[in-house]
Amino acid sequence: MVEPLELWSSRLCLRRLRPEDARAICAYRALPEVARFQSWESFGLSDAERLIADQAAVVPDIPGTWLQLAMVTADSAVVIGDCGLHFRGDDSRQVELGITLAPTHQGRGLATEALGTVLEYLFERLGKHRVSAVTDAENDAAASLFRRLGFRQEAHYVEHVWFKGAWGSEYLFALLRREWQARRTINCT
Ligand SMILES: CC(C)(COP(=O)(O)OP(=O)(O)OC[C@H]1O[C@@H](n2cnc3c(N)ncnc32)[C@H](O)[C@@H]1OP(=O)(O)O)[C@@H](O)C(=O)NCCC(=O)NCCS
C-alpha cells in the first residue's frame, strides 16, 4: 500500500492519480494546444490508463522516478490538470518539475498556486536544495509561470533538440531553496 499524499491550497488539492481520473486526464492532454510543447503527439484513454497504472506503485522521493500528481479543484473535486515531480537520479537533493493544465482553467493563477504548493512540499517537507524546469523557448505561458514563481533562467539552449520534426530551443529555469525562502520572507513582510 503506497502512502497517500495530499497537498492543499486555497483552490486546489494535489493528490496521487486514481483509476477514475483517466477520462479527465485524457480530455485535456489530447488537445493539440496542450500537446504542442509536450512529449506526446496524441493522448488517448489507454495512454491515460497506462500513466495511472504506472504511477500506482511509485513512492515519493525515490531518485530516478517521476511522481505525477492530479490537480483537483478543492470545492468540486474535478481533475483539471496534473504536475510531475522528477526526483533526479543523479542527485537526490534536486527535483525537476512539469505541469499540464486544462485550457478552460488556464489564466486564473491555478498553475502558479499548484506549483507554489509543490515547492513548499519539496523545500520545506523534503528539504530539497534545487528545483528546475525545462520549457520550450516558444512556450511563453510556461516561461511566465516559472518566472512568476521566482525561478531564474539559467540557460537558453538554441536548436539543441530534434522535437516533433524540427530543431527546438529550450530554456532551463531553476530555483534554490534559499532563494525561495528569501522570496517568502519578502512576501510576508
Ligand atoms: C504552462 C501552463 C500550466 C500555464 O498555465 P497558466 O494558466 O498560464 O498559468 P496560471 O494558472 O498560473 O495562470 C497565470 C495567468 O493567470 C493570471 N492570474 C489570474 N489570477 C492569478 C493569480 N491569483 N495568481 C497568478 N496569476 C493569476 C496571470 O496574470 C496569468 O495571466 P497571463 O498569462 O495573461 O499573464 C499552461 O499553459 C499549460 O498547461 N500548457 C500546456 C502544457 C505545457 O506546455 N506545459 C509546460 C510544460 S513545462
Side-chain angles (χ1 to χ4, degrees), residues 141-158:
S144 298
L145 169 64
F146 289 106
R147 289 197 176 103
R148 195 179 303 118
L149 285 160
F151 283 65
R152 281 170 293 101
Q153 185 187 312
E154 290 192 339
H156 180 183
Y157 302 111
V158 180

Side-chain angles (χ1 to χ4, degrees), residues 17 22-23 25-26 29-30 40-55:
L17 302 183
R23 280 191 187 282
I25 291 173
C26 177
R29 280 194 170 212
W40 58 88
E41 295 274 2
S42 61
F43 203 90
L45 190 57
S46 59
D47 296 306
E49 287 167 348
R50 196 173 318 116
L51 172 70
I52 294 167
D54 289 347
Q55 281 290 309

Side-chain angles (χ1 to χ4, degrees), residues 116-127:
T117 314
V118 168
L119 289 172
E120 169 123 20
Y121 169 67
L122 294 173
F123 286 132
E124 285 293 292
R125 257 214 259 170
L126 301 186

Side-chain angles (χ1 to χ4, degrees), residues 27-98:
Y28 59 80
R29 280 194 170 212
L31 298 171
E33 66 267 37
V34 168
R36 180 174 172 206
F37 299 115
Q38 302 284 42
S39 55
W40 58 88
E41 295 274 2
S42 61
F43 203 90
L45 190 57
S46 59
D47 296 306
E49 287 167 348
R50 196 173 318 116
L51 172 70
I52 294 167
D54 289 347
Q55 281 290 309
V58 173
V59 173
D61 204 11
I62 300 296
T65 64
W66 277 90
L67 173 68
Q68 213 69 32
L69 296 175
M71 294 167 58
V72 183
T73 55
D75 55 358
S76 49
V78 173
V79 176
I80 60 167
D82 56 87
C83 56
L85 289 62
H86 177 207
F87 297 97
R88 283 174 45 176
D90 59 338
D91 188 332
S92 63
R93 293 156 303 177
Q94 299 202 43
V95 174
E96 180 190 359
L97 296 180

